[in-house]
Amino acid sequence: MDRETFAGRRVLISGGLGFIGSNLARNLVDLGARVTLVDSLVPEYGGNLFNIAGLEDRLQVNISDVRDEYSLRYLVQHKDLLFNLAGQTSHADSMQDPYTDLDINCRAQLSILESCRKHNPDIKIIFASTRQVYGKPEYLPVDEKHLLRPADVNGINKMAGEWYHIVYNNVYGVRACALRLTNTIGPRMRVKDARQTFVGTWIRQILEDKAFEVWDGGQVRDFTYVDDAVDALLLTASSEKTDGQVFNLGGTCVISLKELAELLIDVNGGGSYVVRSFPAERKKIDIGDYHADFSRIRSVLGWEPRVSLRDGLARTLAFYREHLKHYI
Ligand SMILES: NC(=O)c1ccc[n+]([C@@H]2O[C@H](COP(=O)([O-])OP(=O)(O)OC[C@H]3O[C@@H](n4cnc5c(N)ncnc54)[C@H](O)[C@@H]3O)[C@@H](O)[C@H]2O)c1
């Protein structure tokens, strides 16, 4: 990527203390961007000040909530780019507490866009959407033409959040686009519990010498290593061809969860797991097999995932071997 693209650019990252946001922030600071993070640091979510360890003097941090219209009205001003990553990520929590998910993933998204429309219509926004909007796939691999039929409240609200962005692009000319991320892994992911991804708990437990749980194990998935996700976010931001567009991200391979468990143990040099059946309430919102067709972003932007799953797991384990205490 051309370093010049981001040098001196004023960038706001919502959810910037979280997993993907903080990895993105590291890259943007190195590329010479003037970076501001906004994050609420709600303890149940993935935000963690340790995620920006060493960067504190090179960016601005604003601890506030994207549900606060007044904060956002101020923060979006004088920015060239908004990476809009703040979100409630837990599917189970979205069923227990649907209104919080609605407020963050849907209503706050609309108010962020309203702030941009009224106070900075020249900004460009990249929204972190999710494969969850597709629900249970009708065919594999899933491309962007697949029907959107979310299987849980989180998927519905993320879908609405995504489409507000596209509507504001099309109707008001506030340039916006969305990436539908699949399971993303890497350093700085939440490992305390499974709110962000089950892989987080697997990593924690294997490093604590405990057996981790695999539910069913037959489902297939794809995984994007976080550096590849960050590359996609940066490429998307730097091209005009992305305005109003939606792109899937994907992984370097398709793997069953049981195979993933074996791979993790192999990469770690030891460990064990137990297979359990899905808890009944989770089975109802499980999407079954999923993997993405990411040929659209490959043909438009030349993006494809580069880090193999084995390398991604190895780098993630290495990070948490050193820093686990900051994440539990
Ligand atoms: N990690 C994945 O596998 C994955 C997959 C699909 C989509 N996504 C999307 O990518 C985005 C980033 O996810 P992540 O994995 O980095 O999760 P994360 O939980 O680490 O990051 C989200 C950040 O948003 C912050 N946040 C939540 N609610 C907020 C609010 N109301 N106001 C301000 N900040 C708030 C959290 O504190 C957290 O730091 C999310 O929107 C998520 O839906 C992630």
Side-chain angles (χ1 to χ4, degrees), residues 83-123:
F83 290 94
N84 191 9
L85 273 57
Q88 192 297 108
T89 60
S90 164
H91 303 297
D93 287 3
S94 81
M95 304 308 289
Q96 299 293 329
D97 178 8
Y99 297 112
T100 298
D101 195 89
L102 177 73
D103 288 344
I104 298 174
N105 288 332
C106 185
R107 193 181 199 291
Q109 303 308 315
L110 186 57
S111 72
I112 290 169
L113 287 159
E114 275 290 276
S115 293
C116 293
R117 180 174 77 84
K118 290 181 185 152
H119 303 286
N120 185 3
D122 293 331
I123 199 168

Side-chain angles (χ1 to χ4, degrees), residues 217-257:
Q219 316 90 302
V220 299
R221 287 282 188 278
D222 52 0
F223 294 86
T224 309
Y225 186 66
V226 68
D227 288 359
D228 284 327
V230 166
D231 277 351
L233 287 160
L234 295 175
L235 270 175
T236 309
S238 59
S239 168
E240 286 171 12
K241 286 186 270 185
T242 57
D243 295 347
Q245 303 298 313
V246 171
F247 299 99
N248 283 346
L249 299 192
T252 50
C253 66
V254 178
I255 189 169
S256 78
L257 299 194

